[in-house]
Amino acid sequence: AQTVTQSQPEMSVQEAETVTLSCTYDTSESDYYLFWYKQPPSRQMILVIRQEAYKQQNATENRFSVNFQKAAKSFSLKISDSQLGDAAMYFCAYKRETSGSRLTFGEGTQLTVNP
Amino acid sequence: DAGVIQSPRHEVTEMGQEVTLRCKPISGHDYLFWYRQTMMRGLELLIYFNNNVPIDDSGMPEDRFSAKMPNASFSTLKIQPSEPRDSAVYFCASSFRGLGNQPQHFGDGTRLSIL
């Protein structure tokens, strides 16, 4: 079974600074997908960024980027120029390549942004 | 476009009562997922449907839980009888085909409190 581990229960960053959230996963499959979701206090689950395992290029969405290391099974999220609105719980998630497969979530990292 | 719609947003009831949570997926999406979020267990998949048919209900905790999807635009998750340990936030999510990197879109969740 696949597992996803986020080893940082809490992180904090100063506004306008950069922060990196860690995620590792365990799988025996070669094709899969990885996601970062953000859950603000409103408890919505908002997709931040996605990465296909077959792509070597790291995904980027504006201030959000990932460092995908397939061999190390690592998928970290970098937030640049942090804003107060970035404060939230961040979940790393794994999805098998086959259609209809479930998301397996990590435990989450609570990010605080200090003004 | 309307997102995934869940109702009610909050539910408080006494143990032993029947609870019904409702979900309207995004139009055109053919996969529907029910997740439960608790502090102890994080986000866990309960059941998911493809084209209104339950595919994997291995996450359903026990027989007190049941889910139905009578048509493509509506699903229910029922707990009968409810117990205090069922208190959690229940999310519904939908996706198109569930293939590849198609993300799951989440509703705002139902916060359920069983007294």
Side-chain angles (χ1 to χ4, degrees):
Chain A
Q2 294 82 19
T3 59
V4 179
T5 303
Q6 294 177 249
S7 59
Q8 306 154 315
E10 298 177 347
M11 291 283 285
S12 62
V13 63
Q14 290 296 126
E15 196 175 4
E17 297 291 305
T18 296
V19 65
T20 298
L21 308 184
S22 301
C23 173
T24 58
Y25 57 93
D26 186 26
T27 183
S28 58
E29 302 183 341
S30 58
D31 291 325
Y32 49 87
Y33 302 90
L34 298 164
F35 303 84
W36 279 97
Y37 280 85
K38 167 186 175 181
Q39 187 178 38
S42 64
R43 80 165 183 253
Q44 289 177 293
M45 290 289 288
I46 302 166
L47 177 69
V48 174
I49 199 165
R50 73 188 85 172
Q51 174 79 44
E52 295 88 344
Y54 62 83
K55 288 187 178 179
Q56 292 186 339
Q57 186 174 6
N58 290 323
T60 299
E61 288 285 345
N62 300 315
R63 298 182 295 107
F64 298 87
S65 61
V66 299
N67 183 5
F68 173 50
Q69 301 290 328
K70 190 172 184 180
K73 297 180 182 175
S74 171
F75 182 60
S76 61
L77 174 69
K78 186 172 80 171
I79 307 174
S80 304
D81 186 24
S82 298
Q83 300 176 0
L84 295 177
D86 295 333
M89 181 74 86
Y90 285 81
F91 291 96
C92 177
Y94 169 100
K95 179 181 180 296
R96 294 174 62 191
E97 192 273 341
T98 50
S99 61
S101 56
R102 66 181 65 193
L103 285 172
T104 301
F105 287 92
E107 306 90 334
T109 296
Q110 182 67 51
L111 177 66
T112 301
V113 181
N114 300 310
Chain B
D1 288 340
V4 176
I5 299 172
Q6 289 187 248
S7 64
R9 187 155 171 80
H10 304 277
E11 175 88 11
V12 180
T13 192
E14 293 185 347
M15 64 178 295
Q17 297 297 307
E18 178 179 290
V19 173
T20 299
L21 311 181
R22 297 173 176 80
C23 174
K24 177 180 170 58
I26 292 173
S27 178
H29 283 191
D30 53 354
Y31 281 87
L32 184 140
F33 305 80
W34 282 101
Y35 291 89
R36 179 171 68 176
Q37 184 178 31
T38 62
M39 288 294 292
M40 292 296 295
R41 300 174 67 91
L43 274 156
E44 52 182 345
L45 179 71
L46 299 178
I47 185 171
Y48 78 89
F49 296 81
N50 175 221
N51 291 323
N52 316 335
V53 177
I55 302 300
D56 183 353
D57 65 354
S58 59
M60 296 285 264
E62 46 196 280
D63 293 344
R64 297 184 297 106
F65 285 70
S66 62
K68 294 182 179 179
M69 192 165 186
N71 57 62
S73 59
F74 183 66
S75 177
T76 59
L77 178 67
K78 187 173 293 187
I79 309 172
Q80 167 63 18
S82 57
E83 297 182 3
R85 60 192 168 118
D86 302 330
S87 298
V89 178
Y90 291 81
F91 286 100
C92 176
S94 70
S95 69
F96 177 59
R97 292 184 183 164
L99 283 172
N101 69 348
Q102 293 300 316
Q104 294 178 16
H105 298 267
F106 285 76
D108 289 345
T110 294
R111 181 177 296 280
L112 177 64
S113 298
I114 308 296
L115 306 177

PDB file of all heavy atoms in Angstrom, chain A residues 92-109:
ATOM      1  N   CYS A  92      -0.049  16.839   1.286  1.00  0.00           N
ATOM      2  CA  CYS A  92       0.547  16.174   0.142  1.00  0.00           C
ATOM      3  C   CYS A  92      -0.314  14.940  -0.146  1.00  0.00           C
ATOM      4  O   CYS A  92      -0.791  14.281   0.800  1.00  0.00           O
ATOM      5  CB  CYS A  92       1.971  15.778   0.505  1.00  0.00           C
ATOM      6  SG  CYS A  92       2.882  14.873  -0.744  1.00  0.00           S
ATOM      7  N   ALA A  93      -0.539  14.634  -1.415  1.00  0.00           N
ATOM      8  CA  ALA A  93      -1.387  13.491  -1.742  1.00  0.00           C
ATOM      9  C   ALA A  93      -0.818  12.724  -2.930  1.00  0.00           C
ATOM     10  O   ALA A  93      -0.240  13.311  -3.851  1.00  0.00           O
ATOM     11  CB  ALA A  93      -2.815  13.951  -2.051  1.00  0.00           C
ATOM     12  N   TYR A  94      -1.027  11.426  -2.893  1.00  0.00           N
ATOM     13  CA  TYR A  94      -0.552  10.497  -3.923  1.00  0.00           C
ATOM     14  C   TYR A  94      -1.748   9.859  -4.606  1.00  0.00           C
ATOM     15  O   TYR A  94      -2.740   9.528  -3.947  1.00  0.00           O
ATOM     16  CB  TYR A  94       0.318   9.432  -3.256  1.00  0.00           C
ATOM     17  CG  TYR A  94       0.675   8.250  -4.145  1.00  0.00           C
ATOM     18  CD1 TYR A  94       1.924   8.173  -4.760  1.00  0.00           C
ATOM     19  CD2 TYR A  94      -0.211   7.197  -4.338  1.00  0.00           C
ATOM     20  CE1 TYR A  94       2.272   7.088  -5.558  1.00  0.00           C
ATOM     21  CE2 TYR A  94       0.123   6.115  -5.140  1.00  0.00           C
ATOM     22  CZ  TYR A  94       1.363   6.060  -5.738  1.00  0.00           C
ATOM     23  OH  TYR A  94       1.703   4.988  -6.533  1.00  0.00           O
ATOM     24  N   LYS A  95      -1.611   9.651  -5.910  1.00  0.00           N
ATOM     25  CA  LYS A  95      -2.685   8.985  -6.653  1.00  0.00           C
ATOM     26  C   LYS A  95      -2.068   8.040  -7.655  1.00  0.00           C
ATOM     27  O   LYS A  95      -1.175   8.423  -8.408  1.00  0.00           O
ATOM     28  CB  LYS A  95      -3.560  10.018  -7.354  1.00  0.00           C
ATOM     29  CG  LYS A  95      -4.709   9.450  -8.176  1.00  0.00           C
ATOM     30  CD  LYS A  95      -5.483  10.578  -8.834  1.00  0.00           C
ATOM     31  CE  LYS A  95      -6.639  10.049  -9.670  1.00  0.00           C
ATOM     32  NZ  LYS A  95      -6.179   9.239 -10.807  1.00  0.00           N
ATOM     33  N   ARG A  96      -2.536   6.816  -7.685  1.00  0.00           N
ATOM     34  CA  ARG A  96      -2.060   5.863  -8.662  1.00  0.00           C
ATOM     35  C   ARG A  96      -2.450   6.320 -10.065  1.00  0.00           C
ATOM     36  O   ARG A  96      -3.377   7.116 -10.238  1.00  0.00           O
ATOM     37  CB  ARG A  96      -2.652   4.484  -8.395  1.00  0.00           C
ATOM     38  CG  ARG A  96      -2.188   3.858  -7.095  1.00  0.00           C
ATOM     39  CD  ARG A  96      -2.930   2.555  -6.845  1.00  0.00           C
ATOM     40  NE  ARG A  96      -2.661   1.570  -7.896  1.00  0.00           N
ATOM     41  CZ  ARG A  96      -3.336   0.438  -8.023  1.00  0.00           C
ATOM     42  NH1 ARG A  96      -4.326   0.153  -7.202  1.00  0.00           N
ATOM     43  NH2 ARG A  96      -3.039  -0.411  -8.984  1.00  0.00           N
ATOM     44  N   GLU A  97      -1.796   5.770 -11.053  1.00  0.00           N
ATOM     45  CA  GLU A  97      -2.053   6.177 -12.426  1.00  0.00           C
ATOM     46  C   GLU A  97      -3.397   5.676 -12.930  1.00  0.00           C
ATOM     47  O   GLU A  97      -4.034   6.304 -13.760  1.00  0.00           O
ATOM     48  CB  GLU A  97      -0.922   5.663 -13.325  1.00  0.00           C
ATOM     49  CG  GLU A  97      -0.913   6.250 -14.731  1.00  0.00           C
ATOM     50  CD  GLU A  97      -1.783   5.492 -15.708  1.00  0.00           C
ATOM     51  OE1 GLU A  97      -2.114   4.317 -15.424  1.00  0.00           O
ATOM     52  OE2 GLU A  97      -2.151   6.079 -16.749  1.00  0.00           O
ATOM     53  N   THR A  98      -3.851   4.554 -12.409  1.00  0.00           N
ATOM     54  CA  THR A  98      -5.089   3.960 -12.917  1.00  0.00           C
ATOM     55  C   THR A  98      -6.279   4.854 -12.602  1.00  0.00           C
ATOM     56  O   THR A  98      -6.316   5.527 -11.576  1.00  0.00           O
ATOM     57  CB  THR A  98      -5.319   2.572 -12.306  1.00  0.00           C
ATOM     58  OG1 THR A  98      -5.184   2.673 -10.886  1.00  0.00           O
ATOM     59  CG2 THR A  98      -4.304   1.586 -12.834  1.00  0.00           C
ATOM     60  N   SER A  99      -7.240   4.810 -13.477  1.00  0.00           N
ATOM     61  CA  SER A  99      -8.387   5.688 -13.350  1.00  0.00           C
ATOM     62  C   SER A  99      -9.189   5.349 -12.104  1.00  0.00           C
ATOM     63  O   SER A  99      -9.289   4.199 -11.690  1.00  0.00           O
ATOM     64  CB  SER A  99      -9.282   5.555 -14.576  1.00  0.00           C
ATOM     65  OG  SER A  99      -9.767   4.241 -14.693  1.00  0.00           O
ATOM     66  N   GLY A 100      -9.740   6.382 -11.537  1.00  0.00           N
ATOM     67  CA  GLY A 100     -10.619   6.201 -10.400  1.00  0.00           C
ATOM     68  C   GLY A 100      -9.931   5.884  -9.098  1.00  0.00           C
ATOM     69  O   GLY A 100     -10.602   5.597  -8.114  1.00  0.00           O
ATOM     70  N   SER A 101      -8.631   5.915  -9.080  1.00  0.00           N
ATOM     71  CA  SER A 101      -7.960   5.550  -7.829  1.00  0.00           C
ATOM     72  C   SER A 101      -8.045   6.677  -6.814  1.00  0.00           C
ATOM     73  O   SER A 101      -8.160   7.843  -7.142  1.00  0.00           O
ATOM     74  CB  SER A 101      -6.508   5.170  -8.093  1.00  0.00           C
ATOM     75  OG  SER A 101      -5.831   6.210  -8.749  1.00  0.00           O
ATOM     76  N   ARG A 102      -7.937   6.285  -5.591  1.00  0.00           N
ATOM     77  CA  ARG A 102      -8.119   7.202  -4.480  1.00  0.00           C
ATOM     78  C   ARG A 102      -6.894   8.080  -4.287  1.00  0.00           C
ATOM     79  O   ARG A 102      -5.796   7.772  -4.745  1.00  0.00           O
ATOM     80  CB  ARG A 102      -8.328   6.393  -3.204  1.00  0.00           C
ATOM     81  CG  ARG A 102      -7.098   5.580  -2.795  1.00  0.00           C
ATOM     82  CD  ARG A 102      -7.353   4.779  -1.557  1.00  0.00           C
ATOM     83  NE  ARG A 102      -8.373   3.763  -1.777  1.00  0.00           N
ATOM     84  CZ  ARG A 102      -8.961   3.088  -0.814  1.00  0.00           C
ATOM     85  NH1 ARG A 102      -8.625   3.305   0.438  1.00  0.00           N
ATOM     86  NH2 ARG A 102      -9.875   2.188  -1.087  1.00  0.00           N
ATOM     87  N   LEU A 103      -7.104   9.166  -3.583  1.00  0.00           N
ATOM     88  CA  LEU A 103      -5.992   9.975  -3.102  1.00  0.00           C
ATOM     89  C   LEU A 103      -5.574   9.444  -1.732  1.00  0.00           C
ATOM     90  O   LEU A 103      -6.419   9.204  -0.873  1.00  0.00           O
ATOM     91  CB  LEU A 103      -6.415  11.437  -2.950  1.00  0.00           C
ATOM     92  CG  LEU A 103      -6.571  12.268  -4.226  1.00  0.00           C
ATOM     93  CD1 LEU A 103      -7.184  13.610  -3.887  1.00  0.00           C
ATOM     94  CD2 LEU A 103      -5.238  12.455  -4.924  1.00  0.00           C
ATOM     95  N   THR A 104      -4.291   9.276  -1.546  1.00  0.00           N
ATOM     96  CA  THR A 104      -3.740   8.954  -0.231  1.00  0.00           C
ATOM     97  C   THR A 104      -3.051  10.205   0.290  1.00  0.00           C
ATOM     98  O   THR A 104      -2.140  10.722  -0.352  1.00  0.00           O
ATOM     99  CB  THR A 104      -2.739   7.789  -0.319  1.00  0.00           C
ATOM    100  OG1 THR A 104      -3.407   6.649  -0.848  1.00  0.00           O
ATOM    101  CG2 THR A 104      -2.187   7.472   1.060  1.00  0.00           C
ATOM    102  N   PHE A 105      -3.499  10.673   1.439  1.00  0.00           N
ATOM    103  CA  PHE A 105      -3.020  11.936   1.968  1.00  0.00           C
ATOM    104  C   PHE A 105      -1.951  11.742   3.045  1.00  0.00           C
ATOM    105  O   PHE A 105      -1.965  10.764   3.787  1.00  0.00           O
ATOM    106  CB  PHE A 105      -4.175  12.721   2.592  1.00  0.00           C
ATOM    107  CG  PHE A 105      -5.134  13.303   1.596  1.00  0.00           C
ATOM    108  CD1 PHE A 105      -6.260  12.594   1.209  1.00  0.00           C
ATOM    109  CD2 PHE A 105      -4.921  14.556   1.056  1.00  0.00           C
ATOM    110  CE1 PHE A 105      -7.159  13.126   0.295  1.00  0.00           C
ATOM    111  CE2 PHE A 105      -5.819  15.100   0.141  1.00  0.00           C
ATOM    112  CZ  PHE A 105      -6.933  14.387  -0.239  1.00  0.00           C
ATOM    113  N   GLY A 106      -1.062  12.722   3.138  1.00  0.00           N
ATOM    114  CA  GLY A 106      -0.169  12.806   4.283  1.00  0.00           C
ATOM    115  C   GLY A 106      -0.905  13.403   5.476  1.00  0.00           C
ATOM    116  O   GLY A 106      -2.086  13.731   5.390  1.00  0.00           O
ATOM    117  N   GLU A 107      -0.153  13.541   6.574  1.00  0.00           N
ATOM    118  CA  GLU A 107      -0.774  13.999   7.809  1.00  0.00           C
ATOM    119  C   GLU A 107      -1.047  15.505   7.821  1.00  0.00           C
ATOM    120  O   GLU A 107      -1.805  16.003   8.655  1.00  0.00           O
ATOM    121  CB  GLU A 107       0.129  13.665   9.006  1.00  0.00           C
ATOM    122  CG  GLU A 107       0.517  12.188   9.096  1.00  0.00           C
ATOM    123  CD  GLU A 107       1.809  11.886   8.342  1.00  0.00           C
ATOM    124  OE1 GLU A 107       2.153  12.631   7.378  1.00  0.00           O
ATOM    125  OE2 GLU A 107       2.477  10.910   8.707  1.00  0.00           O
ATOM    126  N   GLY A 108      -0.395  16.220   6.927  1.00  0.00           N
ATOM    127  CA  GLY A 108      -0.599  17.656   6.854  1.00  0.00           C
ATOM    128  C   GLY A 108       0.491  18.441   7.568  1.00  0.00           C
ATOM    129  O   GLY A 108       1.093  17.960   8.545  1.00  0.00           O
ATOM    130  N   THR A 109       0.749  19.648   7.076  1.00  0.00           N
ATOM    131  CA  THR A 109       1.669  20.597   7.705  1.00  0.00           C
ATOM    132  C   THR A 109       0.932  21.910   7.889  1.00  0.00           C
ATOM    133  O   THR A 109       0.419  22.468   6.919  1.00  0.00           O
ATOM    134  CB  THR A 109       2.921  20.836   6.847  1.00  0.00           C
ATOM    135  OG1 THR A 109       3.656  19.621   6.729  1.00  0.00           O
ATOM    136  CG2 THR A 109       3.803  21.912   7.473  1.00  0.00           C
TER     137      THR A 109
END
